[in-house]
Amino acid sequence: MAAPKHRRTALERVEKFLSETYFTDCNLRGRLFGDRCPLASLSCFQTPRRIAYDEAVRQEFRPAQVGDSFGPTWETCWFKVELSIPPAWTGREVHFVWESDGEGMVWRDAQPVQGLTKEGEKTSYILTRSMKETEPHSLTLYVELACNGLFGAGKGSMIAPPDPDKRFTLSKAELVVFNRDVYELLVDLEILLDMAKLLGEENQRSFQALCTANQMVNVCDVTDPSTFPAARALAAAVFSQRNGESQHTIHAMGHCHIDSAWLWPYEETIRKCARSWVTVVRLMERNPELTFACSQAQQFEWVRTWYPGLYKQIQDFAAKGQFIPVGGTWVEMDGNLPSGESMVRQFLQGQRFFQQQFGRVCSEFWLPDTFGYSAQLPQLMRGCGIRRFLTQKLSWNLVNSFPHHTFFWEGIDGSRVLTHFPPGDSYGMQGRVEEILKTVKNNKDKGRVNHSAFLFGFGDGGGGPTQKMLDRMKRMRDTDGLPRVQVATPDQLFSALEKASSQLYTWVGELFLELHNGTYTTQAQIKKGNRECERILHDVEVLSTLAMAQGSGFQYPASQLQRLWRLLLLNQFHDVLPGSCIQLVVEDALQYYAEIRRAGAGLQQEAVQSLCRELLEPEAGNAGSTLVVNTLPWKRTEVISNAGPGRTETLGLVTVPSMGYAVVREPLLPPQPVVVRKQEDGSIAMENGVIAACLDVMGRLTSLRLLDSQRESVPDGCCANQFALFDDVPLYWDAWDVMDYHLETRKPVTTLLKPLEVTLAGGLRGSVSFSLQIGKSSTLTQEIILDAMCPYLRFLTQVEWKEAHKFLKVEFPVQVRSTNATYEIQFGHLQRPTHWNTSWDWARFEVWAHKWLDLSEHGFGVALLNDCKYGASAHGNILSLSLLRAPKSPDATADMGHHQFTYAVMPHLGSFQDAGVIQHAYSLNFPLHTVPARSAPCPPWSAFSVSSPAVVLETVKQAEDRPGAVVVRLYEAHGSTVVAWLQTSLPVEEAMLCDLLERPVAAESLRLEQRGLRLSFTPFRVLSLLLVLRQ
């Protein structure tokens, strides 16, 4: 065959032969479809609700036609489609073609059979591969059309708030003859053309591919299909030339990342799952080699509930090893903000679901799209039977390129997991030559490992893989000049990586995403709902377990708690808890939190009633005492407030034992009362024998001293509790991003509306309050409270927030010098630099923390505590807490309205560990519970206590599979090696260590000794115990 003389003309000649735009009257692409035939009839009906098939088909359908548009946004149209296939089409492949800008689902014989999404290249349903005379030529289908696109319905741009009045047009609905031989030839030529273009002019294989493609165009007469086999044989000769042994192997897996909610509501996700997964099932029927990795137990549960027929097919393909559940979590949750216990429950609920439904737990954690990964995750994975981790999100880093694609990731306790980032930096590949080459070229661990993952398929409801993606990769299975491509399973990929893992590097600590750090603050009500509901479920579990252990016939509310936990876990999805979702989703999320609060309050009341039945006052009004309940594992002495007659409140100082209760008749007297003094210049001094504070008229701290040592916390000439407003206009991702340059726009808040005044004069509690104007139209009112014996000053803050693209923070300059600050994370803490020496340092200008952050030098430090905030920073000697943002996309109303939150400042001698910062932050988040009680004397009662302040007893719950047995979870919080004794007054018969899935980890039980159970901890170790109670 003659080689083409001119490379460029040859390339363009082949391009035009395949073009969808040029020369379609005479090129190959124009022959893809043969005869066309209109539908016999088309009718529809529209509803604002997402309804079941059985209800839909009973409605009254009205005539419709191609070109009609439907809406508004979020409505649903059901179409009745009557087809009649012409007899002349016998022996031909017949497709039902449907094109619309809404997402569709084809129903046939009352079952979903095919998803239709134009953006996901799903525009046809194959009626038959070869029409037989005996097959029925007339049939009725239904198409369910959602009035939203693949990415919702943003007005003007993808992440803009949805356009409520958008219309969706049906642009094509017909029967066509599909020419499979033309299609196969098109795929051959596309691969050869891409090889010619992408392998480069210095590569002889590029010229081979181009010569072959050019010759195929010569051989091929588009009007004569008998010429096609000769052309295909030329392509086959190229594809059958094999690689050498050293070639890189790509493990390709079907994938369809579906956000559980994002630019569409939860309810629409249920249909997205069905549309996508039914499409995958159709592909598996025709391609037994196809594998599909699928995460999120919640989505399986939705499909199980709403589409039982489809779910049965999924289970069948799972049994064949094709439809592969991965991840092991309830949803793909945010990787930063959920508490340690919430993360455990993500795995507990997810892994138990997969075990029950598919007979196996997942062996890999799968979190490709989350905005950073906590350094505690490796230990939690290992505790749930997982040693492998896949993500790719760090490829989104704005500043530093992450140095590895395959490595060991080590958490704060030393646990390690094998981690892989697909080197193509995507979880939505399409099987193209360009992506295959990028996967090899981009791999940062060349020479160490020769295997990588390739996740192919459209995500977010686009239906996952397509036949064309599979057909492209079949041609590249083992073709000289390209890496080997094999369709594989996650287990095959990780097994290959494990075999070659001896050369891999280790990354220690968090996987911090250098982007999307606005998500620690956006949608403050969701953040607050998460923290509150984590607390509520903790308390309900503790109190219900204690009530159950008393053996008074109390039934532990296991099924109600599972339902509430699953609502909380769903809201921890990585576009909901971070606040990067539309208003509809926010409304749903807040409703779920309201349900957890409502049901949780009822369950807590029932548990307390059962636990303390003898002590409680039968009729209100004559209670002489107060029952005070402490759900935390240490003794607490605090000021409590009870509602008195009218709208008054009475204060009392009480001491309550750890994880137990006390009946208080006469409140304690503090060793030193709180004193509040107003000075002549309008400033106010407050002290309680532990700390002394001076506040100016604007509520700013000019001094904060520890009285014992007279150590000052606030530097000369500085003010702490200083509010600052920043301009907050990111480059694109509005709700997601706060950029480094926002720090250049700082404006201190200085407009006083109401100067500082005394609101409580002292005794058990002193308080002062003031109001400020913030920005153009927002107001902030703050009550600053000092309680007797309390080592911190707390700030109860109310904001009416009406800003646009502004960021509100509160700053505490402190008289401390340290190159690192410490931040609480899940079951522990970590340090981050307070300087910006390197690009890795300054990329962390805004970080996340849980209940506290601390800046300490040897012998002294200052901690900031909070009850619902996550965004923070420490630069130089300034601790800053991020309070509110005001993005306008994808929710134009984000954060507008009323907010209430509390933070506190705690100066301390010694280390934050020895000063009890960790315990005080818990106490701020877990208030004591008070209930009116009888006046009869009653000794205080404690269910659990721990001998070491380094060890926190985080969780007390009933065991999942053993009613009457208790699971307790403890962790080492100081970063120390320590032996601790767990004491309990519960009737424990046997105790054993278990993993996070509550499976015993050792054959022998722990010894029950007089002092309790002896437990050994290394830094940040999480231990779970199964306690079997005497019946």
Side-chain angles (χ1 to χ4, degrees):
M1 71 184 179
K5 289 274 191 224
H6 191 262
R7 182 177 166 90
R8 185 186 148 188
T9 55
L11 280 171
E12 211 164 311
R13 178 194 189 196
V14 179
E15 279 174 3
K16 293 296 188 287
F17 194 60
L18 307 180
S19 172
E20 290 179 24
T21 311
Y22 303 102
F23 305 113
T24 52
D25 57 332
C26 58
N27 74 1
L28 186 62
R29 175 78 61 184
R31 301 284 161 160
L32 184 58
F33 296 105
D35 294 342
R36 299 171 183 271
C37 165
L39 308 178
S41 96
L42 182 66
S43 53
C44 88
F45 100 93
Q46 191 168 321
T47 168
R49 295 187 303 124
R50 297 174 177 91
I51 60 174
Y53 172 88
D54 297 341
E55 185 184 342
V57 295
R58 293 199 305 270
Q59 307 302 313
E60 188 183 330
F61 285 73
R62 298 204 163 86
Q65 58 189 25
V66 173
D68 287 354
S69 62
F70 306 88
T73 311
W74 311 124
E75 296 261 312
T76 299
C77 299
W78 283 83
F79 293 87
K80 185 176 185 178
V81 181
E82 306 206 29
L83 309 174
S84 185
I85 300 171
W89 290 8
T90 301
R92 309 304 300 273
E93 180 169 338
V94 182
H95 291 196
F96 163 55
V97 171
W98 177 281
E99 288 187 18
S100 158
D101 41 8
E103 293 190 282
M105 168 82 96
V106 182
W107 291 79
R108 182 175 183 174
D109 302 329
Q111 287 300 320
V113 290
Q114 174 69 48
L116 297 168
T117 304
K118 195 172 177 182
E119 298 120 306
E121 295 181 7
K122 315 284 187 305
T123 54
S124 65
Y125 167 53
I126 301 174
L127 292 168
T128 172
R129 280 294 178 104
S130 176
M131 189 71 205
K132 296 183 183 64
E133 280 186 27
T134 52
E135 282 184 76
H137 282 53
S138 296
L139 69 148
T140 301
L141 304 175
Y142 287 87
V143 176
E144 175 189 13
L145 185 74
C147 290
N148 54 264
L150 179 61
F151 292 107
K155 190 170 187 173
S157 81
M158 180 179 80
I159 63 166
D163 178 353
D165 303 313
K166 200 163 183 172
R167 309 286 296 175
F168 295 82
T169 303
L170 175 59
S171 49
K172 196 178 279 186
E174 61 186 6
L175 294 180
V176 301
V177 170
F178 182 80
N179 293 321
R180 180 70 52 183
D181 52 355
V182 172
Y183 163 83
E184 298 288 1
L185 201 46
L186 285 168
V187 179
D188 287 345
L189 280 161
E190 180 204 293
I191 299 290
L192 290 168
L193 179 63
D194 281 351
M195 287 174 69
K197 286 199 294 199
L198 297 164
L199 288 176
E201 290 193 45
E202 66 284 356
N203 188 322
Q204 61 91 26
R205 190 72 170 146
S206 155
F207 284 91
Q208 279 183 338
L210 180 57
C211 288
T212 303
N214 187 65
Q215 186 62 16
M216 286 168 71
V217 179
N218 291 339
V219 166
C220 184
D221 176 353
V222 298
T223 64
D224 179 6
S226 70
T227 63
F228 296 174
R232 291 216 61 205
L234 291 169
V238 174
F239 297 143
S240 64
Q241 289 174 314
R242 299 285 170 241
N243 269 302
E245 281 181 31
S246 68
Q247 186 57 273
H248 189 85
T249 300
I250 284 175
H251 298 255
M253 298 162 228
H255 191 241
C256 178
H257 174 76
I258 302 179
D259 287 314
S260 289
W262 179 29
L263 303 174
W264 56 85
Y266 285 128
E267 250 192 5
E268 192 54 46
T269 308
I270 301 173
R271 299 200 293 191
K272 282 178 172 283
C273 293
R275 287 191 284 262
S276 303
W277 296 357
V278 77
T279 303
V280 169
V281 165
R282 286 294 82 77
L283 273 178
M284 285 178 174
E285 289 167 349
R286 296 191 292 273
N287 301 272
E289 77 281 6
L290 171 60
T291 60
F292 181 73
C294 191
S295 65
Q296 309 198 65
Q298 171 70 81
Q299 295 184 1
F300 283 91
E301 175 62 18
W302 278 333
V303 171
R304 187 177 80 88
T305 305
W306 292 97
Y307 301 90
L310 169 59
Y311 189 73
K312 174 73 180 70
Q313 293 175 292
I314 288 169
Q315 285 183 308
D316 291 345
F317 280 108
K320 292 177 187 166
Q322 288 182 260
F323 204 111
I324 304 166
V326 293
T329 49
W330 190 246
V331 295
E332 287 189 11
M333 73 281 196
D334 180 78
N336 301 322
L337 309 185
S339 68
E341 190 58 32
S342 286
M343 285 190 165
V344 171
R345 300 309 174 91
Q346 287 284 357
F347 285 107
L348 183 69
Q349 289 295 329
Q351 291 284 52
R352 286 176 60 80
F353 178 90
F354 291 129
Q355 181 67 55
Q356 287 158 6
Q357 295 294 315
F358 297 94
R360 56 176 284 266
V361 293
C362 302
S363 59
E364 58 291 299
F365 184 36
W366 196 273
L367 205 57
D369 192 37
T370 289
F371 315 147
Y373 304 87
S374 163
Q376 188 55 279
L377 276 166
Q379 179 175 199
L380 301 186
M381 287 182 230
R382 293 290 295 257
C384 298
I386 290 174
R387 291 162 178 267
R388 302 158 162 183
F389 175 44
L390 182 140
T391 182
Q392 62 81 50
K393 198 64 177 187
L394 265 66
S395 67
W396 286 47
N397 270 7
L398 202 58
V399 182
N400 298 286
S401 176
F402 194 78
H404 300 292
H405 281 105
T406 307
F407 59 99
F408 284 105
W409 179 25
E410 186 176 301
I412 56 172
D413 72 310
S415 295
R416 295 166 81 198
V417 289
L418 177 60
T419 301
H420 182 68
F421 298 174
D425 293 342
S426 168
Y427 50 73
M429 295 296 200
Q430 295 180 27
R432 297 181 183 280
V433 173
E434 182 180 10
E435 300 163 340
I436 299 286
L437 293 173
K438 179 183 177 183
T439 295
V440 180
K441 184 181 178 189
N442 205 33
N443 182 6
K444 295 198 171 123
D445 298 279
K446 293 183 189 78
R448 288 188 281 274
V449 284
N450 210 15
H451 298 264
S452 54
F454 184 90
L455 306 182
F456 64 95
F458 291 98
D460 294 318
T466 65
Q467 185 65 52
K468 185 179 272 188
M469 295 174 192
L470 279 165
D471 291 338
R472 286 171 182 146
M473 290 186 293
K474 281 174 190 166
R475 287 158 173 81
M476 295 188 277
R477 190 175 295 153
D478 189 3
T479 293
D480 187 25
L482 297 176
R484 280 193 192 84
V485 181
Q486 59 189 41
V487 174
T489 65
D491 182 58
Q492 287 166 332
L493 164 76
F494 278 106
S495 296
L497 293 175
E498 281 162 358
K499 282 198 186 87
S501 63
S502 63
Q503 302 291 307
L504 294 178
Y505 287 109
T506 297
W507 179 272
V508 179
E510 66 184 327
L511 293 173
F512 185 86
L513 178 65
E514 297 172 357
L515 195 72
H516 293 359
N517 23 14
T519 60
Y520 318 145
T521 306
T522 305
Q523 299 286 9
Q525 298 294 7
I526 289 181
K527 310 290 194 274
K528 183 175 181 175
N530 181 69
R531 183 82 65 87
E532 274 187 19
C533 291
E534 287 177 337
R535 181 200 80 220
I536 288 165
L537 294 180
H538 168 276
D539 286 359
V540 169
E541 286 184 335
V542 168
L543 296 167
S544 299
T545 305
L546 302 189
M548 180 260 301
Q550 281 203 333
S552 57
F554 176 82
Q555 278 291 303
Y556 187 89
S559 60
Q560 295 101 302
L561 276 166
Q562 173 170 281
R563 182 178 74 86
L564 299 178
W565 265 112
R566 285 180 170 184
L567 286 178
L568 178 62
L569 299 178
L570 174 56
N571 275 353
Q572 288 173 348
F573 178 74
H574 66 250
D575 279 307
V576 181
L577 180 53
S580 48
C581 52
I582 60 171
Q583 187 181 352
L584 276 178
V585 179
V586 176
E587 289 165 3
D588 282 346
L590 296 181
Q591 208 175 330
Y592 291 164
Y593 291 134
E595 171 58 15
I596 296 168
R597 289 186 185 103
R598 184 200 63 75
L603 293 174
Q604 184 176 301
Q605 192 179 357
E606 287 166 27
V608 171
Q609 292 286 343
S610 176
L611 179 65
C612 309
R613 191 174 291 123
E614 285 76 49
L615 309 174
L616 297 180
E617 190 56 42
E619 68 276 352
N622 64 346
S625 303
T626 302
L627 172 75
V628 186
V629 181
N630 173 18
T631 57
L632 292 179
W634 43 79
K635 181 174 163 184
R636 294 163 70 178
T637 299
E638 288 174 25
V639 175
I640 57 164
S641 142
N642 275 328
R647 296 192 61 188
T648 62
E649 57 172 17
T650 57
L651 300 175
L653 184 65
V654 299
T655 294
V656 196
S658 70
M659 230 170 243
Y661 57 76
V663 174
V664 178
R665 297 178 69 186
E666 296 296 321
L668 306 169
L669 288 172
Q672 277 182 281
V674 180
V675 179
V676 182
R677 284 190 301 272
K678 188 154 191 173
Q679 316 291 346
E680 284 180 15
D681 60 2
S683 66
I684 293 177
M686 307 170 80
E687 60 176 79
N688 67 352
V690 185
I691 56 175
C694 291
L695 297 143
D696 70 11
V697 289
M698 295 183 58
R700 298 179 303 189
L701 273 171
T702 53
S703 169
L704 179 63
R705 294 190 328 278
L706 282 169
L707 284 169
D708 266 3
S709 62
Q710 289 299 317
R711 173 67 195 255
E712 175 61 66
S713 308
V714 181
D716 283 350
C718 293
C719 293
N721 198 40
Q722 170 70 63
F723 294 97
L725 199 61
F726 299 81
D727 295 344
D728 188 14
V729 184
L731 298 175
Y732 175 69
W733 296 101
D734 198 356
W736 292 257
D737 287 351
V738 56
M739 309 309 296
D740 54 347
Y741 53 73
H742 86 282
L743 295 167
E744 299 166 31
T745 65
R746 177 182 178 276
K747 293 176 190 67
V749 175
T750 54
T751 309
L752 193 59
L753 293 178
K754 217 171 96 196
L756 192 70
E757 59 180 27
V758 177
T759 43
L760 275 179
L764 288 178
R765 174 174 292 167
S767 69
V768 297
S769 70
F770 64 95
S771 297
L772 299 173
Q773 179 167 330
I774 297 182
K776 295 230 172 14
S777 41
S778 303
T779 55
L780 178 146
T781 301
Q782 194 167 63
E783 188 181 7
I784 303 176
I785 302 163
L786 183 61
D787 281 351
M789 297 179 69
C790 185
Y792 56 77
L793 188 64
R794 67 192 157 100
F795 303 83
L796 173 59
T797 314
Q798 319 255 359
V799 183
E800 289 297 333
W801 185 243
K802 298 172 185 171
E803 299 306 301
H805 297 296
K806 298 291 180 192
F807 195 164
L808 179 66
K809 304 185 188 187
V810 64
E811 298 168 347
F812 284 80
V814 293
Q815 204 160 310
V816 175
R817 178 162 175 78
S818 175
T819 53
N820 286 292
T822 310
Y823 301 81
E824 188 191 37
I825 67 164
Q826 297 82 357
F827 297 137
H829 57 260
L830 50 73
Q831 294 192 325
R832 300 183 182 112
T834 56
H835 56 74
W836 294 342
N837 279 359
T838 70
S839 59
W840 293 88
D841 299 331
W842 71 255
R844 289 185 279 179
F845 58 86
E846 174 80 4
V847 297
W848 59 273
H850 282 200
K851 299 183 290 291
W852 58 268
L853 63 147
D854 179 88
L855 188 66
S856 289
E857 57 190 46
H858 180 69
F860 178 76
V862 179
L864 271 189
L865 324 178
N866 75 83
D867 73 348
C868 63
K869 297 298 171 191
Y870 295 92
S873 66
H875 186 224
N877 68 329
I878 298 173
L879 295 176
S880 174
L881 197 62
S882 299
L883 303 177
L884 293 167
R885 292 187 71 219
K888 298 301 167 193
S889 290
D891 174 8
T893 67
D895 284 315
M896 294 299 101
H898 181 77
H899 297 269
Q900 178 176 318
F901 49 85
T902 295
Y903 55 87
V905 60
M906 178 177 162
H908 59 83
L909 291 179
S911 66
F912 69 85
Q913 291 98 326
D914 294 341
V917 165
I918 297 165
Q919 285 79 359
H920 287 293
Y922 268 97
S923 298
L924 183 72
N925 279 268
F926 290 79
L928 295 167
H929 301 289
T930 59
V931 190
R934 296 181 185 178
S935 297
C938 159
W941 178 78
S942 166
F944 288 99
S945 59
V946 186
S947 65
S948 167
V951 174
V952 176
L953 170 56
E954 176 77 19
T955 305
V956 176
K957 66 183 283 288
Q958 179 177 269
E960 295 290 319
D961 293 322
R962 297 181 71 163
V966 174
V967 167
V968 297
R969 191 158 8 264
L970 309 94
Y971 72 94
E972 197 291 318
H974 285 181
S976 61
T977 297
V978 66
V979 169
W981 292 84
L982 173 68
Q983 295 103 356
T984 179
S985 57
L986 271 47
V988 175
E989 188 171 71
E990 189 187 2
M992 60 197 93
L993 290 173
C994 62
D995 68 7
L996 298 178
L997 301 182
E998 304 183 5
R999 305 174 296 194
V1001 290
E1004 66 275 10
S1005 301
L1006 296 168
R1007 277 180 57 199
L1008 294 164
E1009 301 184 44
Q1010 192 62 44
R1011 291 184 63 186
L1013 290 164
R1014 185 180 188 276
L1015 303 172
S1016 295
F1017 291 87
T1018 48
F1020 306 119
R1021 187 180 182 194
V1022 178
L1023 276 187
S1024 303
L1025 309 180
L1026 192 63
L1027 307 178
V1028 182
L1029 303 182
R1030 277 196 299 279
Q1031 293 306 314

